[in-house]
Amino acid sequence: MKKSILLVFLAVLMLVCGCSQGTVNNEGRRIAVTVGKNEIDEVEMLYQYKESISDFYNTNYQLVSMLGIDFTGDLSQAKISDTQTWQDYFIESAMYAVMEENYLMLAAEEAGFELSEKQISEVEKSLSDFYSQLSAYGYDTETYLKENYGANITVADFEKYVMNDAIVFYYYQELISQIPVDDAALTAYYEANSKNFDSVDFKIYHFAYTVPETTEEGSEEPADESYKLEAKTLAETALANITSPEDFDDQVKALLGAEAVASWKDGYTDATAQYSEIFTELADWLFDAGRAYGDKTILEYNNGYFVVVYKNRYLDSYNTVDVRHCLVATNTVSNILVEGSDEIDYEATQAAQAASDAEAYAKAEKLLNDWIADGATEEKFITMANANSDDDGAVDGLYTQVVKGKMVEEFEDWCFDESRVVGDYGIVKTIYGYHIMYFSAVNEPVWKLTARNSIRSTEYEKIYESYGEKYPVIRNKDVLKNIK
C-alpha cells in the first residue's frame, strides 16, 4: 500500500479546498480535514502528524542524527528549503496517511466490510500487550499517550485509531486479493519486464589503475591519462586472447603477477546478478536482447577496466514457501558486576545468559514433544502457536509466501533446505530465540508472486485515483498550521 501516488496527489490538489471553516465536532474539537463524510479532528491530525515524524525517524535515523534537528520539538522554524519547513513536510505526510486511511474506510463501509471476531481479538490483544509493556517500564498509559501525541488525546481516541488502522489493513488485503490476475497476465507481465526478473551468469575481472594524487585543492582528474595505460593494455590483451568463458581464467592469470596468481581461487571470476544489482553500463550490456554465449567486452568503471564475458540469462524460479512457527523468545540478561566494583563479570554474565537460553530451549523442546505426542497435526500446531508463541505478528504462527533474503539466516536456511517436505518440523535457534518450525506448503514461484503484486499495485493505483474523485478532501488551513 502506498502513502502517496503522484497522479492521485495531483488530482487531489485540484479537489482540495483551502477554506478556513470553524467547524467543531460533538467533543468541541476543531475539524482539521474532511474526507468525504469523514471528519478528522485536530487531535487525530496531531496523532497522524506525530506518527509521520516517528516513521521518518525510524527509517532515516542516521540522516536525522546528521541534521541535528530536534524532531520532538516545534518544527515550524526548521527549514528544509526557502519555501518549506519540516512542519510543512510532516503535515503533508500526515495528510497522505489521512487521505488513504479514510478513502479505504469509506470504501470498506460501502462494501459492507467488517472485522471478524478473530481480527478484533487480535487488535485487542495487541493493545493489551502494548499497555502491559508500558506498565512494565513504569509508564501510565494516558500519560504516555499525552506525552507522545498531545495533551488532548485519550485512551479511547488511541484505541479508535488503532482499530481504524486494522480496518484499513484488512480491507486493503481483501481488496487487493480480489483483483483478478491469471497466468496469461503473469506471463505477459514477465515478458514485458523480463530484465527485472531474470538473472545472468558471466565472467568478470577488474584491471585496476591508480589515479595520481592531485596537488591543488579542488583540482580535477589529470587530463593526461597515461596512468590508465597499463590497466587498459592488460584488459585489451585479455579480451583479445579470451575465446570463451572456459579459458577466461587462464587468459587473465597469464597477465598477472606471481602474487596474484598464487592467491587465485576457483570461482573468483564467476558472477551471477540481476539487472538492479550491478552498475548501469554492465547491466545494459549483459541484458541486451541480442546477447549470446561467449560475447565479450571491456567497460571502464570504478578506477579500472572490467573484462566481461557473457554466459547465459535465465529466470531463477524458485518456489516460495509457507511455514508456521512458535517462537520461544530468549532474554538478554543484564550484565553482572564483579562484587564490590563497577567492572563487568563477563564469565558470570555469560553463564547467566547460557542458563537463560537453556531455559528457553527446554521450554521449546517440551512444547514440541507435547505437540508430537498430541498427534503432530498442523491444526494442533496452530493451537500451540496461538497459545505460546512470542511472535504476535504471525497469525496462527503462519508466514506465507516466504521469499529468500527476508528472514534471518538460520530461519531461511531451514525453510529452503532442498530436502524440506510438507510436514517437516524442528527447532531453529536465531537471535530472537528458539523457533519451533512446521513446514506447511510449497507455494507459487517467486517470479509469479512478484509479477502478481506489481500488477495488483498498478490496479490499486487506479482504484485509489477513483477514491480521490469520489471522496472530496477539504483542509482547514487555520487548524493545520497549528499542528506541531
Side-chain angles (χ1 to χ4, degrees):
M1 188 173 6
K2 297 184 177 179
K3 290 283 187 183
S4 63
I5 299 170
L6 181 58
L7 292 176
V8 178
F9 173 60
L10 294 174
V12 168
L13 285 180
M14 302 291 291
L15 293 170
V16 170
C17 172
C19 57
S20 300
Q21 56 186 353
T23 308
V24 296
N25 60 17
N26 293 334
E27 296 170 297
R29 297 172 175 177
R30 293 180 300 169
I31 303 303
V33 181
T34 302
V35 180
K37 68 175 185 177
N38 287 0
E39 295 179 337
I40 296 85
D41 65 36
E42 56 194 329
V43 175
E44 182 173 359
M45 195 65 203
L46 181 58
Y47 169 82
Q48 294 288 0
Y49 175 80
K50 295 291 188 179
E51 282 289 276
S52 295
I53 294 174
S54 178
D55 289 344
F56 181 88
Y57 182 86
N58 291 333
T59 305
N60 304 282
Y61 60 90
Q62 290 181 325
L63 173 62
V64 171
S65 63
M66 291 172 57
L67 291 172
I69 297 173
D70 179 11
F71 280 89
T72 64
D74 183 356
L75 298 175
S76 61
Q77 302 303 313
K79 293 280 191 177
I80 295 179
S81 67
D82 291 340
T83 60
Q84 188 182 37
T85 66
W86 280 104
Q87 180 196 26
D88 298 330
Y89 175 86
F90 288 120
I91 284 177
E92 288 308 308
S93 179
M95 275 296 304
Y96 302 151
V98 164
M99 285 160 53
E100 182 165 39
E101 178 169 291
N102 283 274
Y103 285 164
L104 288 167
M105 285 180 62
L106 289 164
E109 182 181 349
E110 291 183 10
F113 175 84
E114 294 181 350
L115 293 177
S116 68
E117 290 184 5
K118 182 177 182 180
Q119 290 165 345
I120 293 173
S121 177
E122 290 167 1
V123 175
E124 291 174 342
K125 183 178 184 302
S126 295
L127 285 168
S128 177
D129 291 345
F130 175 64
Y131 297 151
S132 295
Q133 289 175 357
L134 289 180
S135 179
Y137 284 100
Y139 288 104
D140 170 73
T141 299
E142 189 169 355
T143 301
Y144 174 87
L145 293 176
K146 291 182 182 300
E147 288 178 353
N148 285 275
Y149 298 111
N152 295 317
I153 193 171
T154 66
V155 174
D157 290 327
F158 177 70
E159 292 180 352
K160 182 183 76 171
Y161 305 154
V162 172
M163 195 63 72
N164 287 345
D165 287 343
I167 292 171
V168 168
F169 174 80
Y170 286 113
Y171 178 68
Y172 173 80
Q173 297 298 323
E174 181 175 295
L175 180 66
I176 285 292
S177 68
Q178 291 175 348
I179 297 175
V181 184
D182 58 21
D183 282 347
L186 293 175
T187 300
Y189 187 88
Y190 163 73
E191 292 174 349
N193 302 275
S194 60
K195 77 176 184 181
N196 296 326
F197 292 87
D198 288 352
S199 297
V200 289
D201 291 339
F202 55 102
K203 305 285 286 187
I204 188 167
Y205 188 81
H206 186 237
F207 289 96
Y209 54 72
T210 301
V211 180
E213 292 185 7
T214 55
T215 56
E216 297 181 15
E217 184 177 349
S219 58
E220 298 180 355
E221 188 174 302
D224 177 8
E225 296 189 346
S226 59
Y227 62 91
K228 298 181 179 181
L229 184 58
E230 181 181 0
K232 186 177 183 181
T233 300
L234 288 171
E236 289 174 344
T237 302
L239 189 74
N241 293 340
I242 292 168
T243 61
S244 73
E246 283 69 31
D247 71 348
F248 185 97
D249 287 13
D250 290 339
Q251 297 299 343
V252 169
K253 285 192 289 184
L255 300 171
L256 302 180
E259 184 178 346
V261 172
S263 63
W264 191 277
K265 295 181 180 180
D266 289 342
Y268 181 67
T269 62
D270 294 329
T272 299
Q274 292 189 310
Y275 186 90
S276 61
E277 297 173 339
I278 47 183
F279 64 92
T280 302
E281 294 83 359
L282 177 58
D284 287 343
W285 185 83
L286 287 170
F287 283 85
D288 185 281
R291 194 62 54 225
Y293 181 85
D295 283 356
K296 54 187 180 178
T297 192
I298 294 176
L299 296 169
E300 184 179 3
Y301 185 78
N302 194 28
N303 292 344
Y305 294 91
F306 284 98
V307 178
V308 187
V309 176
Y310 177 87
K311 295 176 71 176
N312 65 316
R313 173 175 169 176
Y314 56 94
L315 176 62
D316 184 8
S317 186
Y318 73 87
N319 286 88
T320 61
V321 298
D322 296 348
V323 295
R324 298 186 189 274
H325 83 136
C326 175
L327 173 64
V328 178
T330 49
N331 298 312
T332 301
V333 301
S334 300
N335 288 328
I336 299 173
L337 301 180
V338 175
E339 188 174 353
S341 79
D342 293 331
E343 295 183 7
I344 298 173
D345 187 331
Y346 290 101
E347 184 175 342
T349 301
Q350 291 171 359
Q353 186 64 64
S356 177
D357 289 353
E359 182 180 348
Y361 178 76
K363 179 180 176 181
E365 189 174 42
K366 183 178 187 307
L367 286 171
L368 177 62
N369 290 334
D370 288 348
W371 170 74
I372 293 171
D374 198 26
T377 65
E378 186 164 6
E379 291 73 21
K380 294 291 178 65
F381 194 96
I382 292 171
T383 301
M384 175 184 67
N386 285 336
N388 298 281
S389 183
D390 291 319
D391 180 7
D392 294 331
V395 178
D396 294 336
L398 179 65
Y399 283 105
T400 185
Q401 294 181 314
V402 176
V403 300
K404 295 178 180 179
K406 298 297 183 181
M407 299 294 189
V408 289
E409 182 179 0
E410 300 88 349
F411 192 103
E412 182 177 298
D413 287 347
W414 190 91
C415 292
F416 290 100
D417 188 299
E418 291 183 358
S419 65
R420 193 67 58 225
V421 295
V422 173
D424 279 0
Y425 55 84
I427 295 178
V428 173
K429 174 70 165 63
T430 73
I431 57 173
Y432 300 106
Y434 293 96
H435 306 255
I436 308 169
M437 306 289 294
Y438 181 87
F439 193 81
S440 180
V442 176
N443 214 313
E444 68 180 351
V446 65
W447 78 265
K448 285 191 173 184
L449 172 65
T450 304
R452 179 177 287 104
N453 288 343
S454 296
I455 292 170
R456 284 176 168 168
S457 178
T458 300
E459 291 303 309
Y460 175 70
E461 290 183 9
K462 298 175 184 176
I463 295 171
Y464 188 97
E465 185 175 357
S466 73
Y467 291 158
E469 297 169 356
K470 188 174 184 179
Y471 308 121
V473 177
I474 302 174
R475 302 184 186 211
N476 186 333
K477 288 187 175 181
D478 285 346
V479 176
L480 289 174
K481 71 182 180 183
N482 291 312
I483 300 296
K484 54 188 175 181

